[in-house]
Amino acid sequence: MDSCLFCKIVAGTIPCAKVYENETVLAFRDIDPKAPTHILVIPKEHVESVHDVPAEKANLLAELMMAVSAVVVQENLVEAGYRLVINSGSDGGQAVVHLHVHILAGRSLHWPPG
Ligand code: 5GP
Ligand code: ZN
């Protein structure tokens, strides 16, 4: 989608610090990290959030989570632990309306979140 920030990152018109990439998924460092490690994992295809994925595209969600799995192993986050977050809509605090999984790690994270 032309106006979407993350689609521009996928297209390469906005640069990113890439962490992982395959045919369907891209992972890159958050520009304003909320933890020592803060990585965003996105499907290359534009979808707004999990509720925007039709059943016939369920594989996209599997690919997304398998990429998250590859990233946490690659970045050595498994032993100390990490948190996955998907913000959705205004109450969820979603600023970029292109599905993304936040990987947060590198410090002890508070629960419940604010
Ligand atoms: P949301 O609030 O939508 O769940 O998360 C959007 C995230 O995208 C935020 O953590 C924000 O810091 C990050 N972000 C916004 N613009 C950019 C950008 O241009 N590049 C990168 N790498 N991250 C961005
Ligand atoms: Zn997009």
Side-chain angles (χ1 to χ4, degrees):
M1 199 214 260
D2 287 353
S3 61
C4 172
L5 177 68
F6 286 175
C7 283
K8 288 178 185 164
I9 287 178
V10 170
T13 52
I14 292 177
C16 73
K18 193 192 298 181
V19 173
Y20 176 92
E21 182 175 21
N22 65 26
E23 205 176 306
T24 51
V25 176
L26 177 68
F28 51 93
R29 299 202 184 274
D30 196 292
I31 206 166
D32 180 19
K34 314 300 187 293
T37 297
H38 188 170
I39 296 165
L40 303 173
V41 188
I42 70 171
K44 289 184 174 177
E45 181 180 343
H46 182 88
V47 290
E48 293 196 355
S49 192
V50 287
H51 62 261
D52 197 32
V53 180
E56 61 269 24
K57 286 191 182 171
N59 200 43
L60 185 145
L61 295 178
E63 298 257 7
L64 184 66
M65 294 312 286
M66 291 311 293
V68 167
S69 172
V71 169
V72 298
V73 170
Q74 176 188 297
E75 299 298 306
N76 282 314
L77 306 178
V78 173
E79 191 178 344
Y82 56 87
R83 181 172 296 168
L84 306 180
V85 173
I86 300 176
N87 297 323
S88 194
S90 59
D91 277 0
Q94 184 177 19
V96 180
V97 190
H98 179 132
L99 175 60
H100 50 283
V101 179
H102 296 257
I103 302 174
L104 296 154
R107 66 174 170 84
S108 183
L109 297 159
H110 303 285
W111 190 262

